Amino acid sequence: MINKIANIVLVGPMGSGKTSVGRRLACVLKRDFFDSDFEIVARTGVSIDHIFDVEGEEGFRQRETSMLSELCDISNIVIATGGGIVIKAENRALLKNNSFVVYLASSVEQLVMRTARSKSRPLLEKSTNREQTIRDILEAREPLYQEVADVVIDTTGKKLYAIINEIKKSIPQ
């Protein structure tokens, strides 16, 4: 069933590797790849930071839900989602409907390291303590990631291909 129509959707906090893993996983599985944040930027012509500034987080979350709904209507693809996609119940329902959801978990330390140089993460840009912000976000979202996940893959200290192989082994045949 999974190889016929179901999508593989990657969820997890910012810096967990959703885009990097998703892009490579799609190549390995010979599927198209979509990053929901990238698709929003491409559609609007402005950065996510700009959307946050003009429409606030709620405006961005509405765009995110609309994009997820569109992407879930496409069959047999790999989708990397934004870290906050799980916040809305509507999104969690979309994720659980005909998708194989992979939660890419990471240690706080690794997330801090991976996001250290990033200038395009609105929730971190306003923070005076990035590590604490990441801890707070993780604490709030962890149960939601767990709720939607068909499998949890810990990416801490792992190479890209090791993560890809773990995901491939977990996909139902």
Side-chain angles (χ1 to χ4, degrees):
M1 192 274 300
I2 191 79
N3 290 324
K4 300 275 188 281
I5 55 167
N7 296 324
I8 298 170
V9 183
L10 305 177
V11 300
M14 61 183 119
S16 62
K18 299 177 300 288
T19 300
S20 300
V21 170
R23 189 174 284 120
R24 179 63 56 206
L25 180 65
C27 286
V28 168
L29 297 177
K30 296 177 176 42
R31 294 181 180 214
D32 288 332
F33 170 72
F34 294 90
D35 180 301
S36 63
D37 284 352
F38 178 84
E39 295 299 319
I40 291 168
V41 169
R43 179 87 38 99
T44 62
V46 296
S47 69
I48 289 172
D49 287 354
H50 185 76
I51 295 169
F52 264 74
D53 287 345
V54 174
E55 300 177 6
E57 186 174 356
E58 183 53 38
F60 173 74
R61 297 294 172 210
Q62 289 172 357
R63 290 180 181 277
E64 191 174 52
T65 298
S66 175
M67 183 55 62
L68 180 63
S69 181
E70 281 185 46
L71 291 175
C72 286
D73 283 343
I74 304 170
S75 296
N76 206 32
I77 61 174
V78 175
I79 304 169
T81 62
I85 199 96
V86 296
I87 293 170
K88 292 177 76 173
E90 180 181 355
N91 293 347
R92 294 193 304 276
L94 282 167
L95 289 168
K96 290 194 271 189
N97 183 30
N98 199 38
S99 292
F100 183 75
V101 181
V102 179
Y103 167 25
L104 296 181
S106 284
S107 70
V108 171
E109 295 73 24
Q110 183 156 321
L111 296 173
V112 169
M113 189 177 69
R114 285 183 178 168
T115 60
R117 288 196 229 42
S118 176
K119 299 282 186 237
S120 61
R121 300 182 192 273
L123 296 178
L124 285 184
E125 293 314 303
K126 294 171 176 61
S127 172
T128 56
N129 183 339
R130 282 181 167 226
E131 181 177 337
Q132 190 57 51
T133 300
I134 289 171
R135 284 185 190 284
D136 293 345
I137 290 170
L138 250 178
E139 185 178 330
R141 296 178 184 171
E142 175 70 19
L144 305 176
Y145 293 135
Q146 293 284 349
E147 177 188 325
V148 299
D150 291 300
V151 66
V152 179
I153 307 283
D154 187 351
T155 66
T156 305
K158 292 181 182 165
K159 300 282 186 205
L160 186 59
Y161 280 100
I163 297 165
I164 301 294
N165 286 335
E166 277 189 63
I167 294 171
K168 280 175 50 184
K169 287 178 191 166
S170 69
I171 299 171
Q173 295 304 315

